[in-house]
Amino acid sequence: MITEDILIQEFRRIVNLYYPKLGKLLDNCYVKVITCHWGRPPKRLQYIGIYCSQEMMSDVQAYQDVLRDIAENMGWTQVVFLNAQRLLRDPLSKLKQADPRLWLELHLLAA
């Protein structure tokens, strides 16, 4: 079975191959496969989450259409852009308990 890490590596490889400038921007972001279940009966949906700092957000979102095309060609539903600084400042966030590794990675991005 293909793991999410291998899928992310392949996604980054494709981006670096065809859009090297975008690949350099994604090096400063945390890219993750997010899985959710929706509908009745529950249907498994996967999409890409790109966590980046406030300063990088506008640069990465300029390539929104390109990223969505790549994601759709790889079988993912969507690409979502998330502000790492906002997520870390949220007082109700349970991210630290739920995924400590992601929480630490976001601190590195926000710094």
Side-chain angles (χ1 to χ4, degrees), residues 6-20:
I6 294 171
L7 291 172
I8 292 299
Q9 288 175 2
E10 184 66 19
F11 179 76
R12 284 183 177 263
R13 187 186 69 77
I14 291 170
V15 168
N16 285 327
L17 184 64
Y18 293 107
Y19 303 95

Side-chain angles (χ1 to χ4, degrees), residues 12-96:
R12 284 183 177 263
R13 187 186 69 77
I14 291 170
V15 168
N16 285 327
L17 184 64
Y18 293 107
Y19 303 95
K21 186 176 177 184
L22 175 59
K24 289 180 183 178
L25 287 174
L26 286 183
D27 288 341
N28 298 321
C29 299
Y30 186 82
V31 181
K32 181 178 178 179
V33 175
I34 301 170
T35 304
C36 69
H37 300 287
W38 183 73
R40 283 216 168 125
K43 190 175 183 181
R44 184 174 175 233
L45 301 173
Q46 287 186 321
Y47 55 97
I48 294 287
I50 299 177
Y51 299 86
C52 51
S53 64
Q54 180 69 34
E55 296 82 26
M56 296 286 300
M57 187 67 72
S58 61
D59 295 335
V60 175
Q61 283 184 336
Y63 291 97
Q64 181 174 352
D65 295 332
V66 170
L67 290 168
R68 286 186 177 156
D69 285 342
I70 294 171
E72 286 176 8
N73 287 331
M74 291 184 73
W76 289 313
T77 309
Q78 190 64 268
V79 175
V80 178
F81 303 95
L82 301 160
N83 186 339
Q85 292 164 333
R86 239 187 219 171
L87 195 58
L88 291 172
R89 282 185 278 163
D90 183 8
L92 299 177
S93 175
K94 304 285 185 208
L95 184 63
K96 185 175 182 181

